[in-house]
Amino acid sequence: QVQLVESGGGLVQAGVSLRLSCAASGRSISNYPMGWFRQAPGKEREFVAGISWSGRSTDYADSVKGRFTISRDNAKNTVYLQMSSLKPEDTAVYYCAGSSAALSRRWYAEDIYDYWGQGTQVTVSS
């Protein structure tokens, strides 16, 4: 029912900032918890950040805490991931996901998400 499209990835140098966007279509995501995940070559997909339907609550993986910020603009039906102080270990395909479980706080768990974007590549050179 919901289509998610990520954008904003690219090739950058370490220390640079980058902002990813996730545009939703098909229906409103204003009542959806949303999350960002990433998958590096040879590794499993991992949780990066999650945000409640209202945007009032957020959670982050320890590896990105203090550097990344998840936010949303429900009026624009869009979720963002602001990434700062990028490191080579941040290199991965980044995926946006949405959950129809409106009250869930288990944003780290892949199984709550019903909708996934196609991913956008972020490559950080040293």
Side-chain angles (χ1 to χ4, degrees), residues 49-64:
I51 189 167
S52 66
W53 68 268
S54 66
R56 296 187 182 99
S57 298
T58 58
D59 194 24
Y60 300 91
D62 288 343
S63 59
V64 306

Side-chain angles (χ1 to χ4, degrees), residues 32-86:
Y32 283 21
M34 302 291 292
W36 287 95
F37 291 77
R38 67 186 182 186
Q39 187 167 25
K43 296 186 177 181
E44 295 184 355
R45 187 160 58 190
E46 65 176 352
F47 169 75
V48 176
I51 189 167
S52 66
W53 68 268
S54 66
R56 296 187 182 99
S57 298
T58 58
D59 194 24
Y60 300 91
D62 288 343
S63 59
V64 306
K65 196 169 296 181
R67 298 189 298 119
F68 290 11
T69 302
I70 186 171
S71 62
R72 68 192 301 159
D73 187 338
N74 284 343
K76 295 181 178 179
N77 224 28
T78 301
V79 179
Y80 306 96
L81 184 68
Q82 178 67 48
M83 305 183 293
S84 299
S85 301
L86 282 164

Side-chain angles (χ1 to χ4, degrees), residues 83-101:
M83 305 183 293
S84 299
S85 301
L86 282 164
K87 304 174 181 179
E89 49 262 48
D90 295 318
T91 295
V93 177
Y94 283 71
Y95 298 91
C96 175
S99 176
S100 60

